Amino acid sequence: MLEKSAADRYQAAAKQLTKTEAAHRKNLEALHTAREARNAAQVTPLRRDCEKSERALQDALQAAHDAHRAYWSRRRDALRDELKRIALVLAEYNAFARLAGDQSPHPAQRHLQNLEIEGFVAENVLADDVLACDGVPQESPDCALLEDEIGAWRP
C-alpha cells in the first residue's frame, strides 16, 4: 500500500479545511437568517450546529497547520546530509585559507557573512517563493472566517 506524501497530506487537509469552512459559513448564515426572522424554535438547534461546525473548523485548521509544518519539516530534514557535507567543505575551506596565509579563526564564516551582506539570505529565498512547490504554499494555512466569526453563534 502506498503511503501518502507530505504534499498529498497537506493538499487533503487544505481541501478538508475549505469544505469545513463552507459548512460553517452555511450554518452561520442559517443562524443569522433565523435570528432575523425571530424564529426562536430554530435558533437553539442552529446554535448547536454552529458550535459543532466551528469546532470542526478549528480541528480542520489545526490539521492543515500540522500537515503544512510536516511538509516543510520533511523538506528541511532532507537537507541534513547536505549540511554535513557543507560542514566538511567549510572545514576544508578554513584549512586551505590557513595554508594560503589567512590566520583568522574562521575564514569560511567570514566569507559566508560577506555573502549575506551581498544579499544571499533566507529572506530573499522566501520572498521570491523559490521554495514553494508540490502545491504547498510557504504561508501557513489560515481561516479568516474563524478569525472574524469565532463565537458568533453564542447568544
Side-chain angles (χ1 to χ4, degrees):
M1 183 165 191
L2 294 175
E3 183 182 328
K4 278 185 160 183
S5 73
D8 291 339
R9 284 191 296 277
Y10 172 78
Q11 293 297 335
K15 187 176 181 179
Q16 183 60 40
L17 177 60
T18 302
K19 284 181 180 180
T20 308
E21 185 175 8
H24 185 54
R25 185 179 310 278
K26 182 179 174 185
N27 286 342
L28 287 173
E29 288 171 1
L31 177 60
H32 179 71
T33 302
R35 281 180 177 165
E36 282 189 345
R38 300 195 184 281
N39 189 342
Q42 286 186 343
V43 170
T44 300
L46 288 172
R47 278 193 182 129
R48 280 191 222 115
D49 291 347
C50 288
E51 181 180 14
K52 288 177 188 174
S53 64
E54 183 177 275
R55 171 54 42 211
L57 183 54
Q58 289 170 334
D59 292 345
L61 181 59
Q62 185 62 50
H65 271 288
D66 292 347
H68 185 265
R69 181 175 291 127
Y71 172 80
W72 290 108
S73 293
R74 186 169 287 191
R75 294 269 315 264
R76 178 203 61 207
D77 293 348
L79 297 175
R80 287 184 193 247
D81 287 340
E82 193 168 350
L83 280 176
K84 288 178 185 175
R85 187 183 63 75
I86 290 168
L88 292 173
V89 169
L90 291 173
E92 192 174 349
Y93 184 94
N94 287 340
F96 287 144
R98 288 199 181 87
L99 291 173
D102 187 343
Q103 295 303 311
S104 63
H106 303 287
Q109 182 179 10
R110 188 179 67 237
H111 184 67
L112 289 173
Q113 289 168 336
N114 287 335
L115 288 172
E116 185 175 15
I117 290 167
E118 293 171 14
F120 194 72
V121 293
E123 288 77 18
N124 293 345
V125 174
L126 292 173
D128 294 339
D129 260 348
V130 183
L131 302 175
C133 61
D134 299 331
V136 179
Q138 291 178 180
E139 303 82 28
S140 288
D142 65 355
C143 180
L145 177 65
L146 193 56
E147 290 175 16
D148 294 342
E149 300 290 337
I150 192 160
W153 48 270
R154 292 186 172 105

